[in-house]
Amino acid sequence: MSKIAIIGATGRAGSQLLEEALRRGHSVTAIARNTSKLAGRPGVKTVDVDVLDAAALEKAVAGHDAVFSAAHFSGIPASAIINPVKKAGVKRLLVVGGAGSLLVAPGVRVIDSPDFPEAYKAEATAGGIFLDTLLQEKELDWTFLSPSAEFVEEARTEKFRLGKDHLLVDANGRSWISFKDYAIAYIDELEKPAHSRQRFTIGY
């Protein structure tokens, strides 16, 4: 079993990664600005950290087998996550990605679509920059898992498809995945790495 740290462990994606990791017997350090709602959970150590405090984040992730980052991209440069993880000596970084950088046609990303919501552009743009930064990263064994266009609070089905760089769409034309099924795929990747230094995606 692995000892993992989850940055952004109280968010929607981070909390489901935590639940799935615990379900499988891993030990988890939950990192967030305020982890009080996770206090006292068996198998969980909580650390309150501002992600932009590099020294505190480095200390919090040191000694782990892998780090998951489920922090929002907007307002947090890639270096704020990558550098402390590297300085702490952790080799694996698994990033909760976004759908904006996925392709819908050759050379056309989701974020480039004319109907892409303006409200999500800053976050999607920052997510694309984070991925580009990882693609230049030579030291870390990183993975970036992009969800489908809709990342939703739905049931755990354990039935989903994996892809690479293209947006996955179901038979009804919908691109979606639940946080719970996303977490299954990502803890699978933790346990049996298949996308080292790669981005992949998940959808129904």
Side-chain angles (χ1 to χ4, degrees):
M1 295 299 103
S2 297
K3 184 179 181 185
I4 67 173
I6 301 175
I7 300 167
T10 57
R12 292 186 297 172
S15 62
Q16 291 304 322
L17 286 168
L18 181 146
E19 296 299 339
E20 187 65 27
L22 293 178
R23 185 179 284 118
R24 303 197 202 182
H26 300 288
S27 61
V28 178
T29 297
I31 300 170
R33 277 202 186 93
N34 182 354
T35 59
S36 57
K37 67 181 181 181
L38 297 173
R41 288 288 303 274
V44 180
K45 174 187 176 185
T46 58
V47 184
D48 290 358
V49 171
D50 183 328
V51 172
L52 295 177
D53 184 339
L57 185 58
E58 179 187 338
K59 182 179 178 182
V61 302
H64 292 83
D65 299 311
V67 174
F68 281 91
S69 177
H72 287 292
F73 297 116
S74 185
I76 300 174
S79 60
I81 303 292
I82 293 170
N83 290 347
V85 171
K86 286 164 69 170
K87 286 184 178 179
V90 180
K91 298 303 182 188
R92 282 191 83 189
L93 173 63
L94 301 100
V95 177
V96 174
S101 57
L102 291 166
L103 298 172
V104 291
V108 181
R109 302 169 302 167
V110 171
I111 194 175
D112 301 323
S113 304
D115 57 349
F116 189 86
E118 190 67 34
Y120 298 131
K121 276 198 172 170
E123 178 70 10
T125 299
I129 292 169
F130 200 119
L131 176 58
D132 289 342
T133 303
L134 287 173
L135 288 167
Q136 305 302 316
E137 174 57 44
K138 303 293 190 241
E139 295 175 43
L140 287 175
D141 179 8
W142 62 268
T143 302
F144 188 100
L145 177 53
S146 289
S148 287
E150 295 179 51
F151 207 3
V152 295
E153 303 275 5
E154 294 287 347
R156 171 191 172 96
T157 71
E158 301 183 44
K159 296 176 182 178
F160 46 79
R161 294 180 294 145
L162 299 180
K164 189 71 175 60
D165 291 309
H166 289 80
L167 186 74
L168 293 175
V169 179
D170 70 11
N172 298 315
R174 185 181 181 189
S175 176
W176 64 303
I177 191 68
S178 74
F179 291 102
K180 291 178 180 178
D181 282 335
Y182 178 97
I184 292 171
Y186 225 175
I187 300 301
D188 285 348
E189 179 69 24
L190 170 75
E191 295 176 347
K192 295 181 179 178
H195 300 89
S196 177
R197 295 197 170 110
Q198 295 176 52
R199 183 260 289 280
F200 71 118
T201 188
I202 178 174
Y204 294 124

